[in-house]
Amino acid sequence: ARDLAMQVAAANPASVDRDDIPADLLEKEKEIYKTQAINEKKPEHIIERFVQGKLEKFYQEHVLLEQNFVKDPNKTIKQLVTDYIAKLGENITVKKFTRFQLGE
């Protein structure tokens, strides 16, 4: 639990998994990536793949289970949870989190 709390504090994820990301945020990101592709004069048939690639990077940065673990960047949080399940013999699921931030 401490490692997950540290991850949330350090990496500021937007959601636990892809399904929890608000649709409006996802659409906004797609529009931004599509505009970038057009501005970079990418061919029309490549734009969709470009957007999908950028979305994958977005998921890796903003979805808790897909983020690289801050203590071991070679592991994702999902792999970390799986390792703890094997080690403890208990079923562990991350359903939600709350992050508090002072300042700003």
Side-chain angles (χ1 to χ4, degrees):
R2 181 174 292 159
D3 286 340
L4 289 177
M6 181 176 48
Q7 180 74 26
V8 169
N12 192 16
S15 68
V16 174
D17 60 23
R18 289 182 183 204
D19 298 334
D20 295 338
I21 293 180
D24 59 331
L25 176 61
L26 211 50
E27 288 303 317
K28 180 180 163 188
E29 290 297 319
K30 284 181 183 179
E31 286 301 317
I32 290 170
Y33 302 146
K34 190 176 272 191
T35 302
Q36 280 179 349
I38 291 170
N39 289 343
E40 293 176 12
K41 309 240 188 291
K42 301 273 185 206
E44 191 66 36
H45 65 281
I46 292 182
I47 290 177
E48 188 59 35
R49 285 192 301 173
F50 178 83
V51 170
Q52 288 304 317
K54 289 285 197 172
L55 277 178
E56 286 299 318
K57 182 73 171 161
F58 174 81
Y59 290 138
Q60 290 174 357
E61 293 174 359
H62 293 90
V63 174
L64 176 65
L65 293 176
E66 296 186 26
Q67 288 180 336
N68 291 333
F69 183 39
V70 292
K71 284 184 171 179
D72 182 3
N74 296 324
K75 280 187 178 180
T76 65
I77 296 301
K78 187 171 188 143
Q79 291 168 331
L80 178 72
V81 170
T82 303
D83 290 350
Y84 276 116
I85 289 171
K87 182 178 177 181
L88 301 173
E90 294 290 327
N91 190 16
I92 301 169
T93 58
V94 180
K95 293 191 183 238
K96 66 179 183 174
F97 61 86
T98 303
R99 183 176 186 272
F100 297 96
Q101 181 170 332
L102 296 175
E104 297 184 27

